[in-house]
Amino acid sequence: MSFELQASLRDRNFDMAVSLADGETVAILGPNGAGKSTLLSVIAGLLRPNAGSARIGDKELFTLDDRTHFWTPPHLRGTALLAQEALLFPHLNALNNVAFGPRSAGASKAASRESAQRWLTEVDALDLADRKPAQLSGGQAQRVAVARALAAEPELLLLDEPMAALDIHAAPLLRRVLKRVLKNRKAIIVTHDILDAYMLADRVIVAEGGRITEEGPTRQVLERPRSHFAAGLAGLNLVAGATTSEGITTPDGRVFAGQHDPHWTPVPGQAGVAAFPPSSVSVFLGDVHGSPRNSFPVTITDLEPYGDQIRVRASSGPPAQALSADITPAASADLGLVPGMEVRFVVKSALVSVYPA
């Protein structure tokens, strides 16, 4: 049973079309204000768009146009929304929190408790059944919230950054739980974490400014990004331009030589991107000796620790282009790098991947 949605909100500059195949999990990535949570609210029925339509299989969720104003209320949609906070009923123990959905749908008390026990077992939380929410840690409460959402047998599960409020110990456990319970289930997960996308999603959608800027299979998007946001998540520098036989030429005339995707025959002038990791970039003061294929001036904007390296963030252009290089602390000290300094970034063409935009 597939899911399809197209919706627009004029006051939020939001216009998206999203579809899911049966049993597919899609991750929505994007910066703050991109419209990710707005999308989930529209699907769940918490926010009414100006126009659009949505359906799960044969079930119509809404149709809003010049002639039709059909709107299914949230509790009849067959969706379940899991937010950053667990939002459990404070007066009910974990078992009764999870049993609430089946009981509300008309199941008997015994059947509801049986369902709750099954789902608590599924999320490794049956031992928490008698505890009230105030007696649960953040990770425990979120696992109970997952069980409560699934006990309602939703046709589409919506997760809005479910790991965001968890510590570094609780998040991996919940991620493993979600990987198990989302298998063969339609779900949309909003996240800022690339690991969530890799572990949980079959497909990735990148949203920016209320629009979808990129989508595709998870590994394809994160290993061959076409948007600057996806490239940032994947830890890559990304430069856009027009393709040439050697690589790409940027709008201001800079040439980035690189290795073309072997499955792609570039057409001169076609929109393309050059991607390369910060670890492939060397930093020099002044002119560079020899004949490096890619050498360009930049202005350092920031220096920050990055593991056992220093990430040198810089701007190149015009137009302004954010780029990064990873070097050792010793190299940074030897070069005397500080924000505002002009240096040269150099990267070998063999380390630059060029593919269609």
Side-chain angles (χ1 to χ4, degrees):
M1 197 183 307
S2 62
F3 166 76
E4 295 181 357
L5 171 140
Q6 191 285 317
S8 60
L9 287 85
R10 288 189 295 269
D11 60 336
R12 301 196 182 201
N13 193 30
F14 174 96
D15 191 352
M16 290 191 194
V18 175
S19 63
L20 274 78
D22 194 25
E24 184 181 34
T25 296
V26 171
I28 310 291
L29 307 175
N32 291 334
K36 307 183 298 297
S37 295
T38 296
L39 173 65
L40 296 192
S41 294
V42 168
I43 297 171
L46 305 178
L47 192 60
R48 185 187 292 256
N50 298 106
S53 63
R55 64 176 55 250
I56 301 176
D58 295 330
K59 178 189 292 185
E60 186 178 14
L61 302 188
F62 66 85
T63 299
L64 302 171
D65 56 33
D66 293 338
R67 295 175 298 176
T68 307
H69 292 272
F70 177 80
W71 182 259
T72 300
H75 66 285
L76 297 178
R77 292 196 169 202
T79 62
L81 176 61
L82 183 67
Q84 294 180 21
E85 303 292 341
L87 302 177
L88 300 174
F89 299 119
H91 62 292
L92 299 179
N93 63 21
L95 182 71
N96 289 330
N97 261 282
V98 178
F100 180 83
R103 192 78 170 119
S104 299
S108 67
K109 185 175 182 180
S112 297
R113 288 177 63 85
E114 182 179 343
S115 175
Q117 289 172 339
R118 176 167 63 89
W119 283 112
L120 284 172
T121 300
E122 190 69 22
V123 300
D124 301 326
L126 185 59
D127 59 324
L128 307 175
D130 294 328
R131 296 191 193 180
K132 295 284 186 67
Q135 299 171 303
L136 301 174
S137 69
Q140 291 170 337
Q142 198 68 315
R143 279 186 283 143
V144 173
V146 171
R148 183 176 66 174
L150 294 174
E153 300 292 346
E155 296 174 49
L156 175 61
L157 185 62
L158 308 171
L159 303 102
D160 193 356
E161 299 196 58
M163 263 75 75
L166 303 184
D167 62 34
I168 59 173
H169 303 293
L173 176 57
L174 181 61
R175 195 177 285 117
R176 290 195 297 272
V177 166
L178 288 175
K179 183 175 178 62
R180 183 171 68 248
V181 300
L182 293 181
K183 187 177 182 180
N184 299 322
R185 180 182 295 276
K186 284 195 300 299
I188 298 176
I189 178 169
V190 165
T191 181
H192 279 100
D193 194 321
I194 191 172
L195 187 57
D196 293 344
Y198 269 121
M199 283 192 63
L200 305 176
D202 304 298
R203 190 158 51 90
V204 162
I205 292 174
V206 179
E208 297 180 85
R211 304 290 190 276
I212 293 174
T213 57
E214 185 174 3
E215 60 182 309
T218 301
R219 288 195 173 274
Q220 176 182 307
V221 170
L222 297 177
E223 293 176 7
R224 287 285 188 271
R226 290 169 171 81
S227 67
H228 287 287
F229 183 83
L233 278 179
L236 295 172
N237 290 305
L238 192 73
V239 179
T243 60
T244 67
S245 59
E246 291 188 334
I248 67 162
T249 300
T250 64
D252 61 333
R254 288 175 295 156
V255 175
F256 279 79
Q259 308 301 306
H260 289 97
D261 187 326
H263 304 294
W264 171 51
T265 302
V267 176
Q270 178 183 356
V273 292
F276 49 98
S279 59
S280 70
V281 181
S282 300
V283 182
F284 290 86
L285 302 178
D287 295 332
V288 181
H289 299 294
S291 302
R293 298 299 301 279
N294 299 310
S295 173
F296 41 95
V298 300
T299 301
I300 297 174
T301 57
D302 197 13
L303 300 166
E304 61 184 40
Y306 190 78
D308 61 352
Q309 302 280 295
I310 297 295
R311 175 150 292 183
V312 182
R313 299 192 182 276
S315 177
S316 178
Q321 170 75 58
L323 298 170
S324 299
D326 289 343
I327 63 175
T328 65
S332 177
D334 290 343
L335 293 169
L337 301 183
V338 294
M341 178 183 289
E342 293 186 359
V343 297
R344 294 192 77 85
F345 276 7
V346 175
V347 57
K348 295 179 180 178
S349 60
L351 301 177
V352 178
S353 297
V354 179
Y355 47 92

